[in-house]
Amino acid sequence: MEIRAAETGDVEGAIALHDALAPYLVVTRGAVTRRLASPAVAGNGTFAAVDAGEVVGWATTELIAGSDPLDGQLRLLVRPDHRGRGIGAKLLEATHEDLRSAGATSARVFADPAAVEWAARRGYRQTRQVHYAGIDPRKAPDVPGLPTGVELIPLTDVDPRQLYEADQVAQRTKPGDANITSRPYDDWLAAIWRSPDMVLDLSVAALYQDQLVAFTLGHGDRTRIWSKMTATMPPYRGRGLAKLVKSAALHRAAAAGVRGAYTANYDGNAPMIAVNEWLGYDRVTTHAVLICLL
């Protein structure tokens, strides 16, 4: 058994592990390949547990952009037939060390409820739950009628600065445990707008009097996509704009050949849960949100 930094040769094993245990996370071959081909950066680590040449465990870290104090998050998977051998503990130790070296003050993870007791012994406490849901975009309802003056356009037709400003509002006002303040525009431009993982042409904004008042942003491989953020600007909430942008985006996805669209919502985010239920999303699983001070 070897626990080490992941290598480019681990891509296929990582994808097989994610597809077997958590396909709703939409971890794509292209995204993993690009991640492992990029220079190693503290707070963006990837670790593999390898047994006889097979990837049996996988863990990644990420810094929560714009958080103050700086928070980190991680994902950790271990193949069921290899659990109980200390693999998860060693991967967790590696992720914690990576996040600490980047200056993160805490680590957040979404975990199967069965792992809560295990995580509690390692310093984690549960703060809430998060619900994962998915839909075949071909089953999405018709796009509702547009309110007077509202226009729907793909994000490829949006000024990136306009989307950035709306996303900053969305990040600061979304439910969650991290205190989000702001993210530099150049950092956002590289990580979001220019990221090859984003599907900007399948993502949609609502404009009113040339103002961006709602948007939905996704990433994926054009077979499966993940809803990274859906938001309505505060003065325009409660008018059905989230239904508009999400339903329009699902129809664009269906036309592009996407057959699985996934999302997640905190249990306290009743408005977005209601929107997703209206759209026809089926709940896939519920995870515990766990936080540990580093």
Side-chain angles (χ1 to χ4, degrees), residues 92 109 111 115-125 290:
L92 190 67
V109 63
V116 170
E117 184 178 342
W118 179 88
R121 295 197 297 270
R122 290 157 177 82
Y124 280 85
R125 61 180 178 86
L290 309 176

Side-chain angles (χ1 to χ4, degrees), residues 137-162:
R138 294 172 294 181
K139 298 180 180 179
D142 293 339
V143 179
L146 295 179
T148 302
V150 172
E151 178 187 7
L152 297 181
I153 61 172
L155 290 188
T156 46
D157 294 346
V158 171
D159 182 330
R161 175 69 73 168
Q162 196 174 23

Side-chain angles (χ1 to χ4, degrees), residues 34-42 44:
R34 285 186 289 272
R35 183 183 180 97
L36 296 183
S38 300
V41 177
N44 193 42

Side-chain angles (χ1 to χ4, degrees), residues 5-11 14 31-40 46-47 58:
E7 302 169 353
T8 54
D10 298 324
V11 171
V32 176
T33 300
R34 285 186 289 272
R35 183 183 180 97
L36 296 183
S38 300
T46 311
F47 306 93
W58 193 260

Side-chain angles (χ1 to χ4, degrees), residues 5-29:
E7 302 169 353
T8 54
D10 298 324
V11 171
E12 295 304 320
I15 294 301
L17 188 66
H18 281 87
D19 285 350
L21 301 183
Y24 49 86
L25 294 179
V26 191
V27 174
T28 68
R29 185 171 285 97

